[in-house]
Amino acid sequence: MAEITPFTYESAPSRVVFGAGSVASLADEVRHFGFRRALVITTKGQAALGEKTAAQLGDLAIGAYPGAVMHTSAEVGDAGCDEARRLDADCTVAVGGGSAIGLGKVIARDVGLPQIAVPTTYSGSEMTAIWGVTTDGVKVTGPDPKVLPVGVIYDPELTVRLPAGVSGPSGLNAMAHSVEALYAQNANPIASLMAEESIRALGQSLPVVVKEPANLEARGEALYGAWLAGAALAQVGMALHHKLCHTLGGAFDLPHAEVHTILLPHASAYNQAAAAGAMARVARALGANNAAEGIYDLAKAVGAKVALKDIGMREADLDRAADLATRNPYYNPAPVTRDGVRALLDNAFHGRRPAAV
Ligand code: NAD
């Protein structure tokens, strides 16, 4: 019998519509919430999809705004809020990844407009009530119940154009939420169920997704895994891995999903002994002997980069990165030491396969 340790469970309400072709129900969803003036938000790269979505909404849309960028600078956030006020929008519909949804969150926070999210990556932002804004190169994040999208449409058909080079790291970004959810300080059995199932779904689908981008079954399973990962992330606190990604992404301007992909095997090896139960669940979900090796091998299998040196990190900055990541104390299953983190970063810098523990 497994011992159930005491826990607090809290889950915020949000409505999810899932399935191939489900974006066709977007107008119904807008009506379901009683909205009439939707502002469609995308990044510049997805502008055409934004126009198409606004056209699909017809009278329910008041425009498409392709102004979202990764990490939402304060200027980008302000410009989005101005546009929403100028057009007198009553909701936003973000179509895209965490960047588009991130701008919708800032508009929700500052203008009070609810958001319907249509995610086309696997990063999971649509499930959380966390906003993020970057000012002078420093990213600040914070919780606000207003920014949790009220509705989410997961349509695998919208993800078939997501390139393999984005799909793989994006999926491992989702997996990172699930791995850390399993050993979170405030872990709970429901979030852990979602986390383990999400690791299984992502582990099985991502290698197929990168080889057969139009395989709707694999795309659907990856999106399902991403949803569960985002839902787990929304419920529990994160630890060393997310702290390191946040630090490296912010201080050295490294790409978000790639940093997650590269660091996750090494953060897992770091916590293997201290969180053996959680790591056994990760290994089981991946069908691997060991969590860290299983994640590393998955990253290789999806063709992702596995070394920080290959995504723009400089070896000369590793000491500073270790200093920054250990400056303030935070929860982690294994004690966070400066030497330990420096060694972890060295392994990640060179892309070494984590040794079996
Ligand atoms: P993204 O939204 O920046 O998208 C990545 C790239 O993929 C972009 O170039 C985009 O144009 C392209 N793209 C997206 N969908 C596509 C599609 N269907 N077809 C072709 N190309 C497509 O990437 P992301 O990793 O989803 O989001 C990263 C941002 O989200 C970061 O700012 C991160 O901090 C934030 N984030 C926030 C949370 C949270 O809970 N607040 C969680 C995860 C990520």
Short mmCIF file of all heavy atoms in Angstrom, two decimals, residues 66-119:
data_model
loop_
_atom_site.label_atom_id
_atom_site.label_comp_id
_atom_site.label_asym_id
_atom_site.label_seq_id
_atom_site.Cartn_x
_atom_site.Cartn_y
_atom_site.Cartn_z
N PRO A 66 -0.85 40.99 -34.53
CA PRO A 66 0.30 40.08 -34.54
C PRO A 66 1.49 40.63 -33.76
O PRO A 66 2.63 40.52 -34.19
CB PRO A 66 0.62 39.96 -36.04
CG PRO A 66 0.23 41.30 -36.60
CD PRO A 66 -0.89 41.85 -35.75
N GLY A 67 1.24 41.24 -32.60
CA GLY A 67 2.29 41.98 -31.90
C GLY A 67 2.99 41.20 -30.78
O GLY A 67 3.81 41.78 -30.06
N ALA A 68 2.69 39.92 -30.61
CA ALA A 68 3.31 39.18 -29.49
C ALA A 68 4.75 38.79 -29.81
O ALA A 68 5.07 38.52 -30.97
CB ALA A 68 2.49 37.92 -29.19
N VAL A 69 5.60 38.79 -28.80
CA VAL A 69 6.98 38.32 -28.95
C VAL A 69 7.33 37.46 -27.72
O VAL A 69 6.68 37.56 -26.69
CB VAL A 69 8.02 39.49 -29.04
CG1 VAL A 69 7.78 40.36 -30.24
CG2 VAL A 69 7.99 40.31 -27.75
N MET A 70 8.39 36.66 -27.88
CA MET A 70 8.79 35.82 -26.76
C MET A 70 9.21 36.68 -25.57
O MET A 70 9.86 37.71 -25.73
CB MET A 70 9.93 34.88 -27.17
CG MET A 70 10.18 33.80 -26.12
SD MET A 70 11.42 32.59 -26.59
CE MET A 70 10.51 31.57 -27.72
N HIS A 71 8.83 36.27 -24.39
CA HIS A 71 9.17 36.90 -23.11
C HIS A 71 8.51 38.27 -22.89
O HIS A 71 8.85 38.98 -21.93
CB HIS A 71 10.69 37.00 -22.91
CG HIS A 71 11.38 35.68 -22.94
ND1 HIS A 71 10.91 34.60 -22.23
CD2 HIS A 71 12.46 35.23 -23.61
CE1 HIS A 71 11.69 33.55 -22.46
NE2 HIS A 71 12.63 33.90 -23.31
N THR A 72 7.57 38.67 -23.74
CA THR A 72 6.72 39.85 -23.56
C THR A 72 7.44 41.02 -22.86
O THR A 72 7.36 41.18 -21.63
CB THR A 72 5.45 39.51 -22.72
OG1 THR A 72 4.99 38.23 -23.10
CG2 THR A 72 4.36 40.53 -22.96
N SER A 73 8.12 41.85 -23.66
CA SER A 73 8.73 43.04 -23.06
C SER A 73 7.62 43.96 -22.54
O SER A 73 6.46 43.87 -22.99
CB SER A 73 9.58 43.78 -24.10
OG SER A 73 8.73 44.30 -25.10
N ALA A 74 7.99 44.87 -21.64
CA ALA A 74 6.99 45.80 -21.09
C ALA A 74 6.36 46.62 -22.21
O ALA A 74 5.14 46.88 -22.20
CB ALA A 74 7.66 46.69 -20.05
N GLU A 75 7.17 47.02 -23.21
CA GLU A 75 6.65 47.83 -24.32
C GLU A 75 5.62 47.05 -25.13
O GLU A 75 4.57 47.57 -25.52
CB GLU A 75 7.79 48.27 -25.27
CG GLU A 75 8.84 49.19 -24.65
CD GLU A 75 9.79 48.46 -23.71
OE1 GLU A 75 10.02 47.25 -23.91
OE2 GLU A 75 10.29 49.10 -22.76
N VAL A 76 5.96 45.78 -25.39
CA VAL A 76 5.04 44.92 -26.15
C VAL A 76 3.74 44.73 -25.37
O VAL A 76 2.64 44.78 -25.94
CB VAL A 76 5.72 43.56 -26.47
CG1 VAL A 76 4.70 42.50 -26.85
CG2 VAL A 76 6.74 43.74 -27.58
N GLY A 77 3.84 44.55 -24.08
CA GLY A 77 2.65 44.41 -23.24
C GLY A 77 1.80 45.67 -23.28
O GLY A 77 0.58 45.60 -23.48
N ASP A 78 2.44 46.83 -23.14
CA ASP A 78 1.70 48.10 -23.15
C ASP A 78 1.02 48.32 -24.50
O ASP A 78 -0.14 48.77 -24.56
CB ASP A 78 2.65 49.28 -22.87
CG ASP A 78 3.09 49.28 -21.41
OD1 ASP A 78 2.47 48.56 -20.60
OD2 ASP A 78 4.08 50.00 -21.08
N ALA A 79 1.76 48.02 -25.59
CA ALA A 79 1.18 48.24 -26.92
C ALA A 79 -0.04 47.35 -27.13
O ALA A 79 -1.06 47.77 -27.69
CB ALA A 79 2.24 47.96 -28.01
N GLY A 80 0.04 46.10 -26.65
CA GLY A 80 -1.11 45.19 -26.76
C GLY A 80 -2.30 45.71 -25.96
O GLY A 80 -3.45 45.66 -26.43
N CYS A 81 -2.03 46.23 -24.77
CA CYS A 81 -3.13 46.77 -23.94
C CYS A 81 -3.76 47.97 -24.64
O CYS A 81 -5.00 48.11 -24.66
CB CYS A 81 -2.59 47.19 -22.57
SG CYS A 81 -2.13 45.79 -21.54
N ASP A 82 -2.92 48.85 -25.22
CA ASP A 82 -3.44 50.03 -25.93
C ASP A 82 -4.37 49.61 -27.08
O ASP A 82 -5.43 50.20 -27.29
CB ASP A 82 -2.29 50.88 -26.49
CG ASP A 82 -1.54 51.59 -25.36
OD1 ASP A 82 -2.07 51.60 -24.23
OD2 ASP A 82 -0.43 52.10 -25.62
N GLU A 83 -3.91 48.58 -27.83
CA GLU A 83 -4.70 48.11 -28.97
C GLU A 83 -6.06 47.55 -28.49
O GLU A 83 -7.10 47.82 -29.08
CB GLU A 83 -3.90 47.05 -29.73
CG GLU A 83 -4.52 46.57 -31.02
CD GLU A 83 -4.49 47.63 -32.13
OE1 GLU A 83 -4.08 48.77 -31.88
OE2 GLU A 83 -4.93 47.28 -33.26
N ALA A 84 -6.01 46.80 -27.41
CA ALA A 84 -7.25 46.21 -26.88
C ALA A 84 -8.22 47.31 -26.44
O ALA A 84 -9.43 47.24 -26.69
CB ALA A 84 -6.94 45.28 -25.72
N ARG A 85 -7.68 48.37 -25.80
CA ARG A 85 -8.54 49.49 -25.36
C ARG A 85 -9.06 50.25 -26.56
O ARG A 85 -10.25 50.59 -26.64
CB ARG A 85 -7.75 50.44 -24.46
CG ARG A 85 -7.46 49.88 -23.08
CD ARG A 85 -6.95 51.00 -22.14
NE ARG A 85 -6.38 50.43 -20.94
CZ ARG A 85 -5.09 50.18 -20.75
NH1 ARG A 85 -4.20 50.47 -21.69
NH2 ARG A 85 -4.67 49.65 -19.62
N ARG A 86 -8.16 50.52 -27.54
CA ARG A 86 -8.53 51.31 -28.71
C ARG A 86 -9.69 50.65 -29.46
O ARG A 86 -10.62 51.32 -29.91
CB ARG A 86 -7.31 51.45 -29.64
CG ARG A 86 -7.50 52.39 -30.82
CD ARG A 86 -6.26 52.47 -31.69
NE ARG A 86 -6.01 51.27 -32.45
CZ ARG A 86 -6.64 50.92 -33.57
NH1 ARG A 86 -7.58 51.69 -34.06
NH2 ARG A 86 -6.35 49.78 -34.20
N LEU A 87 -9.62 49.32 -29.58
CA LEU A 87 -10.65 48.60 -30.33
C LEU A 87 -11.84 48.20 -29.46
O LEU A 87 -12.76 47.57 -29.94
CB LEU A 87 -10.03 47.35 -30.98
CG LEU A 87 -9.01 47.63 -32.08
CD1 LEU A 87 -8.27 46.36 -32.48
CD2 LEU A 87 -9.71 48.24 -33.31
N ASP A 88 -11.76 48.55 -28.20
CA ASP A 88 -12.85 48.22 -27.26
C ASP A 88 -13.16 46.72 -27.27
O ASP A 88 -14.32 46.31 -27.32
CB ASP A 88 -14.10 49.04 -27.62
CG ASP A 88 -15.13 49.00 -26.50
OD1 ASP A 88 -14.73 48.72 -25.35
OD2 ASP A 88 -16.33 49.19 -26.78
N ALA A 89 -12.10 45.92 -27.22
CA ALA A 89 -12.27 44.46 -27.19
C ALA A 89 -12.90 44.05 -25.87
O ALA A 89 -12.73 44.73 -24.85
CB ALA A 89 -10.90 43.79 -27.36
N ASP A 90 -13.64 42.92 -25.92
CA ASP A 90 -14.15 42.40 -24.64
C ASP A 90 -13.51 41.06 -24.26
O ASP A 90 -13.82 40.50 -23.21
CB ASP A 90 -15.69 42.32 -24.63
CG ASP A 90 -16.25 41.30 -25.61
OD1 ASP A 90 -15.45 40.64 -26.31
OD2 ASP A 90 -17.48 41.17 -25.69
N CYS A 91 -12.62 40.55 -25.13
CA CYS A 91 -11.84 39.36 -24.78
C CYS A 91 -10.69 39.26 -25.77
O CYS A 91 -10.67 39.96 -26.79
CB CYS A 91 -12.69 38.09 -24.86
SG CYS A 91 -13.06 37.54 -26.53
N THR A 92 -9.72 38.42 -25.46
CA THR A 92 -8.67 38.11 -26.44
C THR A 92 -8.77 36.64 -26.79
O THR A 92 -9.20 35.82 -25.97
CB THR A 92 -7.26 38.41 -25.90
OG1 THR A 92 -7.04 37.62 -24.72
CG2 THR A 92 -7.07 39.88 -25.59
N VAL A 93 -8.36 36.35 -28.02
CA VAL A 93 -8.22 34.95 -28.46
C VAL A 93 -6.77 34.81 -28.91
O VAL A 93 -6.39 35.36 -29.95
CB VAL A 93 -9.19 34.63 -29.63
CG1 VAL A 93 -8.86 33.26 -30.21
CG2 VAL A 93 -10.63 34.68 -29.16
N ALA A 94 -5.94 34.17 -28.11
CA ALA A 94 -4.53 34.00 -28.48
C ALA A 94 -4.38 32.70 -29.24
O ALA A 94 -4.79 31.64 -28.77
CB ALA A 94 -3.66 33.99 -27.23
N VAL A 95 -3.78 32.79 -30.43
CA VAL A 95 -3.53 31.59 -31.24
C VAL A 95 -2.02 31.50 -31.40
O VAL A 95 -1.39 32.37 -32.01
CB VAL A 95 -4.19 31.70 -32.64
CG1 VAL A 95 -4.10 30.35 -33.35
CG2 VAL A 95 -5.64 32.14 -32.52
N GLY A 96 -1.42 30.46 -30.83
CA GLY A 96 0.03 30.32 -30.91
C GLY A 96 0.56 29.68 -29.65
O GLY A 96 -0.17 29.00 -28.93
N GLY A 97 1.84 29.95 -29.36
CA GLY A 97 2.46 29.35 -28.19
C GLY A 97 2.43 30.27 -26.98
O GLY A 97 1.60 31.20 -26.89
N GLY A 98 3.37 30.05 -26.08
CA GLY A 98 3.43 30.82 -24.85
C GLY A 98 3.63 32.32 -25.10
O GLY A 98 3.28 33.13 -24.24
N SER A 99 4.16 32.68 -26.27
CA SER A 99 4.37 34.11 -26.54
C SER A 99 3.05 34.82 -26.79
O SER A 99 2.79 35.88 -26.20
CB SER A 99 5.32 34.27 -27.74
OG SER A 99 6.56 33.67 -27.46
N ALA A 100 2.21 34.25 -27.65
CA ALA A 100 0.90 34.87 -27.92
C ALA A 100 0.04 34.83 -26.65
O ALA A 100 -0.59 35.83 -26.27
CB ALA A 100 0.20 34.13 -29.06
N ILE A 101 0.02 33.68 -25.99
CA ILE A 101 -0.79 33.55 -24.77
C ILE A 101 -0.24 34.49 -23.68
O ILE A 101 -1.02 35.08 -22.92
CB ILE A 101 -0.78 32.07 -24.30
CG1 ILE A 101 -1.48 31.21 -25.36
CG2 ILE A 101 -1.45 31.92 -22.94
CD1 ILE A 101 -1.23 29.71 -25.23
N GLY A 102 1.07 34.67 -23.67
CA GLY A 102 1.70 35.56 -22.67
C GLY A 102 1.24 37.00 -22.84
O GLY A 102 1.01 37.70 -21.84
N LEU A 103 1.08 37.45 -24.09
CA LEU A 103 0.58 38.82 -24.30
C LEU A 103 -0.89 38.90 -23.87
O LEU A 103 -1.31 39.89 -23.23
CB LEU A 103 0.75 39.25 -25.77
CG LEU A 103 0.21 40.64 -26.10
CD1 LEU A 103 0.82 41.72 -25.21
CD2 LEU A 103 0.45 40.98 -27.58
N GLY A 104 -1.65 37.86 -24.18
CA GLY A 104 -3.04 37.83 -23.73
C GLY A 104 -3.14 37.93 -22.21
O GLY A 104 -4.04 38.56 -21.67
N LYS A 105 -2.19 37.31 -21.53
CA LYS A 105 -2.20 37.35 -20.06
C LYS A 105 -1.93 38.77 -19.54
O LYS A 105 -2.56 39.22 -18.57
CB LYS A 105 -1.14 36.40 -19.51
CG LYS A 105 -1.54 34.94 -19.61
CD LYS A 105 -0.44 34.04 -19.06
CE LYS A 105 -0.95 32.61 -18.87
NZ LYS A 105 0.06 31.74 -18.25
N VAL A 106 -1.02 39.48 -20.19
CA VAL A 106 -0.73 40.85 -19.74
C VAL A 106 -1.95 41.74 -19.97
O VAL A 106 -2.30 42.58 -19.13
CB VAL A 106 0.53 41.41 -20.47
CG1 VAL A 106 0.73 42.88 -20.15
CG2 VAL A 106 1.75 40.60 -20.06
N ILE A 107 -2.64 41.51 -21.10
CA ILE A 107 -3.86 42.28 -21.37
C ILE A 107 -4.94 41.92 -20.33
O ILE A 107 -5.68 42.79 -19.86
CB ILE A 107 -4.35 42.04 -22.82
CG1 ILE A 107 -3.30 42.58 -23.81
CG2 ILE A 107 -5.70 42.70 -23.07
CD1 ILE A 107 -3.57 42.25 -25.27
N ALA A 108 -4.99 40.65 -19.96
CA ALA A 108 -5.95 40.24 -18.91
C ALA A 108 -5.62 40.92 -17.59
O ALA A 108 -6.49 41.42 -16.88
CB ALA A 108 -5.91 38.72 -18.75
N ARG A 109 -4.34 40.97 -17.29
CA ARG A 109 -3.92 41.55 -16.01
C ARG A 109 -4.17 43.06 -15.97
O ARG A 109 -4.69 43.59 -14.98
CB ARG A 109 -2.41 41.28 -15.81
CG ARG A 109 -1.86 41.67 -14.46
CD ARG A 109 -0.34 41.68 -14.46
NE ARG A 109 0.19 42.72 -15.34
CZ ARG A 109 1.48 43.05 -15.45
NH1 ARG A 109 2.38 42.39 -14.75
NH2 ARG A 109 1.88 44.00 -16.26
N ASP A 110 -3.81 43.76 -17.08
CA ASP A 110 -3.82 45.22 -17.04
C ASP A 110 -5.12 45.84 -17.55
O ASP A 110 -5.46 46.96 -17.17
CB ASP A 110 -2.64 45.76 -17.85
CG ASP A 110 -1.31 45.39 -17.21
OD1 ASP A 110 -1.33 44.87 -16.08
OD2 ASP A 110 -0.26 45.58 -17.85
N VAL A 111 -5.82 45.15 -18.45
CA VAL A 111 -7.06 45.70 -18.99
C VAL A 111 -8.27 44.93 -18.47
O VAL A 111 -9.40 45.39 -18.56
CB VAL A 111 -7.03 45.69 -20.55
CG1 VAL A 111 -8.22 46.43 -21.14
CG2 VAL A 111 -5.74 46.30 -21.08
N GLY A 112 -8.01 43.75 -17.92
CA GLY A 112 -9.09 42.95 -17.34
C GLY A 112 -9.86 42.13 -18.36
O GLY A 112 -10.97 41.68 -18.07
N LEU A 113 -9.28 41.92 -19.57
CA LEU A 113 -10.01 41.14 -20.58
C LEU A 113 -9.73 39.66 -20.44
O LEU A 113 -8.57 39.24 -20.40
CB LEU A 113 -9.59 41.58 -21.99
CG LEU A 113 -9.85 43.02 -22.38
CD1 LEU A 113 -9.64 43.19 -23.88
CD2 LEU A 113 -11.26 43.44 -22.00
N PRO A 114 -10.78 38.83 -20.37
CA PRO A 114 -10.55 37.38 -20.31
C PRO A 114 -9.98 36.85 -21.63
O PRO A 114 -10.18 37.47 -22.69
CB PRO A 114 -11.95 36.82 -20.05
CG PRO A 114 -12.91 37.91 -20.34
CD PRO A 114 -12.18 39.21 -20.35
N GLN A 115 -9.31 35.73 -21.53
CA GLN A 115 -8.66 35.16 -22.72
C GLN A 115 -9.18 33.76 -23.04
O GLN A 115 -9.35 32.94 -22.14
CB GLN A 115 -7.14 35.08 -22.47
CG GLN A 115 -6.40 34.27 -23.53
CD GLN A 115 -4.88 34.28 -23.42
OE1 GLN A 115 -4.21 33.96 -24.41
NE2 GLN A 115 -4.32 34.63 -22.29
N ILE A 116 -9.37 33.51 -24.34
CA ILE A 116 -9.53 32.14 -24.82
C ILE A 116 -8.22 31.80 -25.53
O ILE A 116 -7.76 32.56 -26.38
CB ILE A 116 -10.72 32.00 -25.80
CG1 ILE A 116 -12.03 32.30 -25.06
CG2 ILE A 116 -10.76 30.61 -26.41
CD1 ILE A 116 -13.27 32.30 -25.97
N ALA A 117 -7.59 30.69 -25.15
CA ALA A 117 -6.29 30.33 -25.74
C ALA A 117 -6.45 29.17 -26.71
O ALA A 117 -7.19 28.22 -26.43
CB ALA A 117 -5.31 29.97 -24.63
N VAL A 118 -5.75 29.29 -27.83
CA VAL A 118 -5.71 28.20 -28.81
C VAL A 118 -4.24 27.84 -28.99
O VAL A 118 -3.58 28.36 -29.90
CB VAL A 118 -6.37 28.62 -30.14
CG1 VAL A 118 -6.46 27.43 -31.09
CG2 VAL A 118 -7.75 29.23 -29.92
N PRO A 119 -3.70 26.98 -28.12
CA PRO A 119 -2.25 26.73 -28.14
C PRO A 119 -1.82 25.92 -29.36
O PRO A 119 -2.50 24.97 -29.73
CB PRO A 119 -2.00 25.91 -26.86
CG PRO A 119 -3.30 25.81 -26.15
CD PRO A 119 -4.39 26.22 -27.08
#
